[in-house]
Amino acid sequence: MRILVATAVPVERDAVARALAGATDVEVLAAGVGPARAAAATATALAAGPYGLVVSAGIAGGFLPDAPVGSLVVADEITAADLGAETADGFVPVTELGFGTVSHRPPEALVRDAVAATGARAGAVLTVSTVTGTAARAALLKGRHPTALAEAMEGFGVAEAAAVHGVPVLEIRAVSNPVGPRDRAAWRIGDALEALAEGFGKLAPVLESWNTV
């Protein structure tokens, strides 16, 4: 079965596709920005399957000092960080309200092999609908999710679509900027895209091996 790689935007798609050129069993899709759009596009693609694996990929903000700019992160947990309710006592995830889910875990063996192949760090990748723009918010998220290494906007949506279709999921991110105050001058999007392409070049044998299991 084929592998579906879902990115947010075309430049991410193109970076991944460049690294996987010649791989006939992989489709790379620019699914759109945000968890809802990513979930809808991924689910639509999976309905036309079959696929044996879905990979959410792209650039992301990294939590310093563990995920500096230019580094790679592989999710061992894909978590919706802002899916729930604000209360007088603080944030309550939707699971504590009695329904839904807020986290998906990729296969441990696949995470381990991806980390070994790419040199990435493994940790939680948070999905948010509003990107963090202050140090206070970054500290709050890190306090709630101590293992978090990166923040992006699509992984949980991709994982939800994969779960509906019974397909395992993986998320890999290249860090373009620190999570915290928005300093566009300090962003290194080009470097992150190169790191993403390089990472997928190293990841290709892992994906091929997974696809033949």
Side-chain angles (χ1 to χ4, degrees):
M1 289 187 288
R2 293 174 294 165
I3 294 170
L4 176 66
V5 181
T7 71
V9 294
V11 290
E12 295 169 322
R13 177 198 62 200
D14 294 346
V16 173
R18 183 170 71 250
L20 298 178
T24 58
D25 57 350
V26 180
E27 179 182 351
V28 187
L29 169 71
V33 174
R37 183 66 179 267
T42 301
T44 299
L46 290 174
Y51 290 94
L53 176 68
V54 181
V55 184
S56 177
I59 63 176
F63 286 95
L64 296 177
D66 297 319
V69 172
S71 65
L72 286 174
V73 172
V74 172
D76 59 11
E77 174 187 319
I78 303 170
T79 294
D82 53 10
L83 182 59
E86 289 289 348
T87 74
D89 296 321
F91 178 78
V92 179
V94 71
T95 48
E96 292 186 21
L97 299 176
F99 53 91
T101 185
V102 294
S103 188
H104 295 277
R105 289 191 174 274
E108 291 184 7
L110 183 57
V111 171
R112 183 174 61 248
D113 291 348
V115 166
T118 63
R121 294 197 63 174
V125 175
L126 306 182
T127 299
V128 295
S129 295
T130 302
V131 173
T132 298
T134 66
R137 175 67 175 171
L140 184 66
L141 287 176
K142 188 66 172 177
R144 289 178 187 162
H145 307 280
T147 67
L149 293 180
E151 169 193 275
M153 300 182 76
E154 294 78 33
F156 185 76
V158 172
E160 285 277 82
V164 167
H165 286 269
V167 179
V169 67
L170 182 69
E171 183 169 11
I172 182 168
R173 295 281 175 173
V175 176
S176 60
N177 57 277
V179 176
R182 290 174 65 80
D183 179 7
R184 293 291 296 268
W187 291 5
R188 297 292 180 264
I189 292 177
D191 292 344
L193 290 171
E194 286 301 317
L196 183 67
E198 182 179 348
F200 263 89
K202 297 175 179 177
L203 188 64
V206 174
L207 297 180
E208 181 178 355
S209 175
W210 174 267
N211 207 31
T212 59
V213 172

